[in-house]
């Protein structure tokens, strides 16, 4: 029996194929042909002197040996990637890669970013806009700005803002609103982002909180909040706006808050990073800057009645 470790490429091919249970998907992940990946796995099996996959007609499955090998190989690559990522962050200390949701990045971060760049030109910021929860290790992320009610076990996590939502519209339309019931007489812009955000972006929760029956859809529907806010700012109707995303429209006077009734549902922005990285110079600079920027949202709090 060969007790030497097999080639790294063979282990990479096996790890990818075991995760996807597909040679073609694993080949796509590793940017090789399925034939090349299959050959790497054959090399591993020859080195091991035992098969790790059963090749069926339209799929593959792990053998008993493969099932024994897969968890350790996966854990080994995860440790390797984590260590390599941490080392790169120390070597390339002028870089800071941040991931955030696309709308928060475009509506909140991007308009303010020049101030950070001017204050810290030595920090090379890189952004990855994604609704998917990117991996710090596998995707090379340093910091994440995450939104929702969740916790981030095993990572440094700091809550920086709890978002809130309330009806928003143009000043001209606001002149026609004196009570919550007046909202029902106007086009109510619908949003359908799905998931937990339904508590904010649909009218159901707000209408229930103020004692109104949820109306039938009476306005256009958007799948993302930036489109809904822009449509409202153009006079198209009233939108349930999140203050974190509506801030540019509010600051410019394109949107106003005609009613005091406001909802919070425990959805928070958090700064998340691998444990230990929170104390690095660039992480501290960015966290301090973002906390200060988010704190400016409190200027819209006076007069709010949380229901």
């Amino acid at each position: 029996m060969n007790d030497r470790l097999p080639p790294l490429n063979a282990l990479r091919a096996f790890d990818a194929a075991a995760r996807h249970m597909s040679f073609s998907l694993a080949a796509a992940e590793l940017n090789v042909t399925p034939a090349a990946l299959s050959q790497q796995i054959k090399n591993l099996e020859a080195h091991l002197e035992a098969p790790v996959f059963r090749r069926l007609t339209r799929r593959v499955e792990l053998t008993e040996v493969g099932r024994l090998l897969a968890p350790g190989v996966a854990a080994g690559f995860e440790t390797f990637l984590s260590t390599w990522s941490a080392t790169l962050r120390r070597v390339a200390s002028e870089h800071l890669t941040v991931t955030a949701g696309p709308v928060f990045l475009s509506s909140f971060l991007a308009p303010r970013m020049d101030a950070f760049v001017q204050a810290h030109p030595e920090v090379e910021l890189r952004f990855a806009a994604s609704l998917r929860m990117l991996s710090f290790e596998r995707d090379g992320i340093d910091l994440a700005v995450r939104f929702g009610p969740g916790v981030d076990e095993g990572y440094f996590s700091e809550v920086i803002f709890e978002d809130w939502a309330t009806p928003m519209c143009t000043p001209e339309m606001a002149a026609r609103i004196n009570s919550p019931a007046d909202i029902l007489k106007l086009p109510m812009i619908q949003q359908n982002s799905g998931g937990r955000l339904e508590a904010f972006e649909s009218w159901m929760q707000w209408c229930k909180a103020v004692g109104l029956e949820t109306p039938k859809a009476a306005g256009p529907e958007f799948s993302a909040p930036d489109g809904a806010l822009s449509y409202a700012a153009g006079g198209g109707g009233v939108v349930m706006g999140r203050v974190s995303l509506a801030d540019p429209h509010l600051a410019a006077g394109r949107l106003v808050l005609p009613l005091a009734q406001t909802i919070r549902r425990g959805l928070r922005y958090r700064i998340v990073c691998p444990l230990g990285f929170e104390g690095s110079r660039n992480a501290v600079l960015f966290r301090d800057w973002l906390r200060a920027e988010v704190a400016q949202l409190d200027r819209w709090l006076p007069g709010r009645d949380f229901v």
Side-chain angles (χ1 to χ4, degrees), residues 63-112:
T63 64
E64 183 178 351
V65 171
R67 288 195 298 272
L68 178 66
L69 184 63
V73 172
F77 274 109
E78 197 66 30
T79 300
F80 174 77
L81 286 169
S82 176
T83 304
W84 183 252
S85 179
T87 303
L88 285 179
R89 283 196 288 269
R90 293 296 182 186
V91 173
S93 58
E94 73 277 12
H95 297 157
L96 186 69
T97 302
V98 179
T99 183
V103 179
F104 183 74
L105 179 58
S106 62
S107 298
F108 190 89
L109 289 179
R112 295 167 165 80

Side-chain angles (χ1 to χ4, degrees), residues 157-182:
S157 182
E158 176 185 12
V159 174
I160 57 172
F161 184 70
E162 183 174 355
D163 212 354
W164 49 267
T166 191
M168 301 180 183
C169 62
T170 61
E172 295 76 16
M173 193 167 289
R176 300 158 58 185
I177 301 173
N178 296 304
S179 70
D182 292 332

Side-chain angles (χ1 to χ4, degrees), residues 8-299:
L8 183 63
N9 282 344
L11 288 172
R12 287 182 68 218
F14 170 72
D15 174 59
R19 282 187 284 105
H20 291 291
M21 294 306 293
S22 165
F23 283 11
S24 60
L25 291 177
E29 177 186 315
L30 299 179
N31 199 28
V32 298
T33 65
L37 183 126
S38 179
Q39 185 59 48
Q40 290 290 352
I41 292 176
K42 287 179 181 178
N43 291 343
L44 175 65
E45 291 174 326
H47 198 94
L48 189 60
E49 299 180 4
V52 293
F53 284 104
R54 293 188 183 90
R55 280 80 164 171
L56 305 176
T57 304
R58 294 183 179 275
R59 60 188 178 89
V60 296
E61 63 181 30
L62 289 167
T63 64
E64 183 178 351
V65 171
R67 288 195 298 272
L68 178 66
L69 184 63
V73 172
F77 274 109
E78 197 66 30
T79 300
F80 174 77
L81 286 169
S82 176
T83 304
W84 183 252
S85 179
T87 303
L88 285 179
R89 283 196 288 269
R90 293 296 182 186
V91 173
S93 58
E94 73 277 12
H95 297 157
L96 186 69
T97 302
V98 179
T99 183
V103 179
F104 183 74
L105 179 58
S106 62
S107 298
F108 190 89
L109 289 179
R112 295 167 165 80
M113 197 49 59
D114 187 59
F116 181 88
V117 172
Q118 293 298 323
H120 306 289
E122 74 284 3
V123 181
E124 183 179 328
L125 279 175
R126 300 172 179 176
F127 286 99
S130 178
L131 290 174
R132 184 169 59 90
M133 192 170 291
L134 299 181
S135 165
F136 293 103
E137 294 81 12
R138 191 173 298 278
D139 297 308
I141 300 299
D142 296 316
L143 284 173
V145 182
R146 291 179 176 165
F147 179 69
V151 294
D152 307 281
E153 293 184 5
Y155 295 96
F156 170 85
S157 182
E158 176 185 12
V159 174
I160 57 172
F161 184 70
E162 183 174 355
D163 212 354
W164 49 267
T166 191
M168 301 180 183
C169 62
T170 61
E172 295 76 16
M173 193 167 289
R176 300 158 58 185
I177 301 173
N178 296 304
S179 70
D182 292 332
I183 295 285
L184 306 182
K185 305 171 187 176
L186 300 169
M188 299 171 69
I189 300 169
Q190 310 297 315
Q191 300 182 70
N192 186 23
S193 299
R196 296 184 180 95
L197 296 186
E198 286 297 313
F200 266 174
E201 296 173 351
S202 75
W203 285 101
M204 181 178 64
Q205 292 287 335
W206 186 84
C207 286
K208 181 180 178 181
V210 299
L212 295 175
E213 289 188 13
T214 304
K216 295 181 180 179
E221 181 176 278
F222 291 82
S223 62
D226 50 346
L229 288 164
S230 294
Y231 187 77
V238 188
V239 66
M240 275 299 297
R242 284 164 48 192
V243 68
S244 62
L245 306 182
D247 182 67
H249 293 294
L250 295 170
R254 294 186 293 268
L255 291 176
V256 296
L257 315 177
L259 295 170
Q261 289 85 354
T262 301
I263 58 173
R264 263 183 177 150
R265 293 297 182 264
L267 301 182
R268 303 174 176 90
Y269 286 99
R270 311 177 311 281
I271 297 176
V272 186
C273 68
L275 287 171
F277 187 71
E278 72 275 10
S280 67
R281 177 181 179 275
N282 289 350
V284 170
L285 289 175
F286 188 83
R287 286 166 54 210
D288 289 348
W289 171 80
L290 185 55
R291 277 197 302 263
E293 293 297 320
V294 168
Q296 295 181 30
L297 294 173
D298 288 346
R299 71 190 188 278

